[in-house]
Amino acid sequence: MSPKWMIEHVVVRNEITGHTFKFPCGRWLGRGIDDGSTERLLVGEMVPPTTDNEELMETCRTPPRCRSPNMPRRTTEARLSVSEIQQMLADAVNNIIKHYYKLEKERGSLTILLCGEMGLVYCLEQVFLYGFKSSRLFGRHLYLWDFFVKVQAYFFIIIQKADELPNDEHQSSSRDETPENVRVMSSYCTLVSKINSSSHTVGKDGKFQLFVCLATREHLLDQMILCISSTPVAEQMYEEQSFLRDPHLVTFLIQILESLGEFAFLLEASLTKGISLDK
């Protein structure tokens, strides 16, 4: 039987400098619980030197987000509205843009802007969770990564059909099968496959985080989401009032993510797992 640990937070003290760092987690580690992860990327923050031990050890400000059946979301967590999610995402993207307009020596951590509290990954998680039918329709809990894998299976079918078309028929094919869309779908399938095979210790939420970071690095995130939004998988697994089915929300999402396309994202190795889209 594999061990299972609920990690509220990790505290690390540098005995040389005297600095203390707190790494919020609020998730389980272990097979068969939460998303099955035995590895999580934690983003820390320095603790003010005036903080006493009692205050330091109190519950971290990020509530546990465990989705295990025996450890549900806290009832105090209110569902975010569309406008709140839009504002959160806009702030996250704006913080990244401001990061690149600073002098290099004045820049903070890009990892925090991507994976930290209220970072791009968290905000996009809220985007994809909004209107996600999950267990309400399918009778069992589904993670966002389950949706991404189902989309991959659909894209494989579209790619296969496109490969069977003669070159002169591509112009008259459906919108899904245009050469540009097929290229994006192919990159999506490659990325999802590489993430799935990259590590057996990363859970489904960690794989979602990997996807966001790597698709952002490759400047494909907005294009991939646009292709995802037009799939029958999205229609099946999302309510009409969602960021993947409401045309106005899809447009908002694509336009705001397009603004990240002009920046070179040099990611830490801990974020990429050595994954490259180069075949």
Side-chain angles (χ1 to χ4, degrees):
M1 183 175 179
S2 62
K4 300 173 177 63
W5 286 17
M6 176 63 188
I7 310 298
E8 189 70 36
H9 55 262
V10 176
V11 176
V12 177
R13 177 179 172 83
N14 186 323
E15 296 295 347
I16 297 177
T17 65
H19 295 151
T20 300
F21 297 86
K22 187 175 183 179
F23 296 80
C25 181
R27 301 293 296 272
W28 283 90
L29 287 181
R31 294 295 183 191
I33 194 167
D34 202 337
D35 66 340
S37 179
T38 58
E39 172 188 345
R40 296 199 187 280
L41 174 70
L42 305 182
V43 179
E45 53 189 13
M46 186 180 294
V47 178
T50 55
T51 305
D52 58 33
N53 287 338
E54 183 177 347
E55 185 180 356
L56 179 61
M57 300 308 295
E58 72 180 1
T59 303
C60 63
R61 68 168 179 255
T62 303
R65 297 188 294 137
C66 177
R67 301 182 183 86
S68 168
N70 60 341
M71 191 71 177
R73 282 181 177 269
R74 292 180 176 177
T75 55
T76 54
E77 290 187 66
R79 179 182 177 183
L80 296 172
S81 67
V82 168
S83 60
E84 288 173 326
I85 295 173
Q86 288 177 308
Q87 186 61 57
M88 286 168 46
L89 181 60
D91 290 342
V93 170
N94 190 44
N95 287 336
I96 293 173
I97 292 173
K98 288 192 293 186
H99 168 87
Y100 282 98
Y101 277 99
K102 292 178 181 178
L103 296 175
E104 191 168 348
K105 63 181 180 180
E106 297 176 356
R107 294 175 183 175
S109 170
L110 179 60
T111 298
I112 291 178
L113 298 179
L114 291 172
C115 303
E117 188 175 4
M118 306 300 286
L120 181 65
V121 171
Y122 173 77
C123 294
L124 282 175
E125 181 185 36
Q126 304 312 305
V127 165
F128 277 95
L129 284 174
Y130 190 86
F132 187 51
K133 294 177 181 178
S134 187
S135 58
R136 287 174 292 170
L137 178 66
F138 303 104
R140 63 186 179 90
H141 182 81
L142 293 175
Y143 287 82
L144 293 178
W145 190 248
D146 296 316
F147 166 70
F148 278 71
V149 171
K150 287 179 180 291
V151 169
Q152 181 194 35
Y154 173 76
F155 282 169
F156 274 137
I157 296 172
I158 297 298
I159 293 168
Q160 184 177 10
K161 287 181 179 179
D163 288 341
E164 294 171 354
L165 284 175
N167 290 334
D168 57 354
E169 290 187 21
H170 277 288
Q171 296 297 327
S172 59
S173 62
S174 69
R175 186 173 66 89
D176 282 346
E177 297 168 14
T178 62
E180 177 60 23
N181 280 351
V182 169
R183 181 190 67 82
V184 174
M185 292 178 193
S186 179
S187 295
Y188 175 95
C189 292
T190 299
L191 183 56
V192 170
S193 294
K194 289 191 173 185
I195 290 173
N196 268 332
S197 61
S198 65
S199 174
H200 297 295
T201 61
V202 176
K204 292 181 178 180
D205 285 346
K207 291 175 180 178
F208 173 82
Q209 176 176 271
L210 260 175
F211 176 86
V212 172
C213 291
L214 294 172
T216 300
R217 182 190 67 182
E218 301 296 330
H219 302 134
L220 289 171
L221 184 59
D222 57 308
Q223 299 172 58
M224 287 181 175
I225 291 178
L226 183 60
C227 287
I228 290 171
S229 68
S230 65
T231 64
V233 183
E235 185 176 353
Q236 177 192 22
M237 299 184 69
Y238 278 87
E239 298 170 356
E240 287 188 27
Q241 296 302 314
S242 66
F243 283 86
L244 291 185
R245 294 192 60 195
D246 184 305
H248 298 292
L249 295 180
V250 171
T251 299
F252 163 82
L253 186 57
I254 300 308
Q255 288 180 344
I256 200 167
L257 293 176
E258 279 179 345
S259 61
L260 297 176
E262 62 181 283
F263 306 110
F265 287 84
L266 302 177
L267 305 181
E268 297 179 26
S270 59
L271 291 183
T272 65
K273 302 294 182 185
I275 296 175
S276 170
L277 277 183
D278 296 333
K279 297 182 179 180

